[in-house]
Amino acid sequence: MKMLNKLAGYLLPIMVLLNVAPCLGQVVASNETLYQVVKEVKPGGLVQIADGTYKDVQLIVSNSGKSGLPITIKALNPGKVFFTGDAKVELRGEHLILEGIWFKDGNRAIQAWKSHGPGLVAIYGSYNRITACVFDCFDEANSAYITTSLTEDGKVPQHCRIDHCSFTDKITFDQVINLNNTARAIKDGSVGGPAMYHRVDHCFFSNPQKPGNAGGGIRIGYYRNDIGRCLVDSNLFMRQDSEAEIITSKSQENVYYGNTYLNCQGTMNFRHGDHQVAINNFYIGNDQRFGYGGMFVWGSRHVIACNYFELSETIKSRGNAALYLNPGAMASEHALAFDMLIANNAFINVNGYAIHFNPLDERRKEYCAANGLKFETPHQLMLKGNLFFKDKPYVYPFFKDDYFIAGKNSWTGNVASGAEKGIPVNISANRSAYKPVKIKDIQPIEGIALDLNALISKGITGKPLSWDEVRPYWLKEMPGTYALTARLSAVRAAKFKAVIKRNKEH
């Protein structure tokens, strides 16, 4: 018996080592080895990819980790592992991490990919994470770079995270990131997609302008009856010009917090879905090369608070403003903006209107008339503790309202100094007396751990984000050419022209 006990004492450490060996990591150096190891990896396992170019990699991960024991697939030396050619990644298991991969020089079969389909990286499982990856002008196929996608049996992934990634010089159609909870838009008033609870944070977006409604930075959901409950925070959008919508938020109860939009030829849009929140975002245009945007808002019960708008030029085609509140018909395709809190925002030296209460109104009238709907302009608005200030000789008054109704909304504790108001409303001109108002009645969004009342009551905090605050930890120099020059390199511009031509032909 003593001999057996002694033998067990020797065997136990060996058995433990064998059980945890996957956590020590395996290094793979070919596509085939990567596929084989990924099939066998257990929860807590680490698969490291050796330096090199992995052409035509088709990585499908069906194994799952566990809470606290994710499966991690990462570059051995982040930034030195390249996925190229006819590449794709599918994360079909749960609790998976993909880290440190550089996606470039792709040549996927163009006919096999399409807008609103699975992305270059398609997440099908819940609790998955894409971190510290670079997506730079990958190829000429029309698809998103990252999607959360429904499985074949309709299961919706939840609680995924995309963070510290860089998305640059995307020349193809479709958004950079699509977060999906339905296979298509459901517009008949029935129940939409379930809550997703995803987070997109500390990412960098800079992509060139494409013609028409060609896909912006992020889309969340499809239509107003979808539930999002996604948190988009601490991202830097620098010359994110893909289309008029930097972000198109097409679901309910999403929160946008602490993002920076720098010199973007578009707006952050509450496009579909009520009860959304935008807090402490910075909308800045600091040159006069193009028109730059703030927010365009459809729908109701939103909270727009503690945002900073300073735009050296505004977008003429949208109505030259920082904040656009959509006129139209309630709960329609172009839903009326009404019943919301607009509090503790700062509109500083906006070369346009601070708030436009009837942008694109002629289009909305035509739509309402064609569909037998009642046209209205924004109302039931609570404007509290906002600062409107100009010390530059811009010709625009602070407000634009051609229907004489904006002044009938609730105005409390606002200050407007340095320009005409444009509407008859009682607002103090004493900037030195300005202070943010306290808010206490905003209910939290399920699944998002932010104290909205406390954040709003503080007023604007922090400052605009920089590249160093959002970049992949291993990447010093900003990839791509568009952010710094507002034009693509000659080679990328030629590819871009080919993409545009092909899309026009088809």
Side-chain angles (χ1 to χ4, degrees), residues 121-139:
V121 176
I123 302 172
Y124 291 91
S126 297
Y127 302 99
N128 291 326
R129 181 182 180 193
I130 312 296
T131 184
C133 292
V134 168
F135 299 76
D136 181 39
C137 195
F138 186 71
D139 66 1

Side-chain angles (χ1 to χ4, degrees), residues 287-399:
D287 65 40
Q288 295 183 311
R289 299 177 64 180
F290 307 104
Y292 303 122
M295 290 188 67
F296 205 120
V297 178
W298 287 255
S300 64
R301 296 187 291 119
H302 302 310
V303 176
I304 301 168
C306 304
N307 300 287
Y308 180 90
F309 301 85
E310 184 172 2
L311 302 170
S312 53
E313 292 288 343
T314 47
I315 301 173
K316 183 177 180 181
S317 61
R318 302 220 122 187
N320 292 108
L323 176 60
Y324 305 83
L325 303 176
N326 191 63
M330 293 182 183
S332 68
E333 173 68 25
H334 297 287
L336 173 71
F338 74 105
D339 185 19
M340 69 186 69
L341 174 67
I342 302 172
N344 294 346
N345 302 285
F347 300 83
I348 308 298
N349 288 325
V350 173
N351 191 6
Y353 308 104
I355 303 178
H356 197 323
F357 291 90
N358 58 280
L360 308 180
D361 58 332
E362 292 304 319
R363 295 188 202 176
R364 304 297 183 247
K365 285 180 179 178
E366 291 175 4
Y367 176 84
C368 289
N371 291 276
L373 301 172
K374 180 183 178 181
F375 172 85
E376 299 181 77
T377 55
H379 56 272
Q380 292 177 251
L381 309 175
M382 293 179 289
L383 297 103
K384 297 183 176 183
N386 299 288
L387 174 61
F388 306 92
F389 175 77
K390 292 182 184 181
D391 62 5
K392 294 186 178 181
Y394 297 144
V395 299
Y396 296 89
F398 287 124
F399 310 115

Side-chain angles (χ1 to χ4, degrees), residues 13 28 73 84 139 177 193 237 296 308 361 388 446:
V28 299
I73 302 166
T84 68
D139 66 1
I177 296 174
F237 301 82
F296 205 120
Y308 180 90
D361 58 332
F388 306 92
E446 179 188 318

Side-chain angles (χ1 to χ4, degrees), residues 448-468:
I448 298 178
L450 292 176
D451 186 336
L452 301 180
N453 291 298
L455 289 173
I456 298 170
S457 297
K458 286 180 182 178
I460 298 169
T461 59
K463 61 182 181 179
L465 294 168
S466 67
W467 161 253
D468 283 336

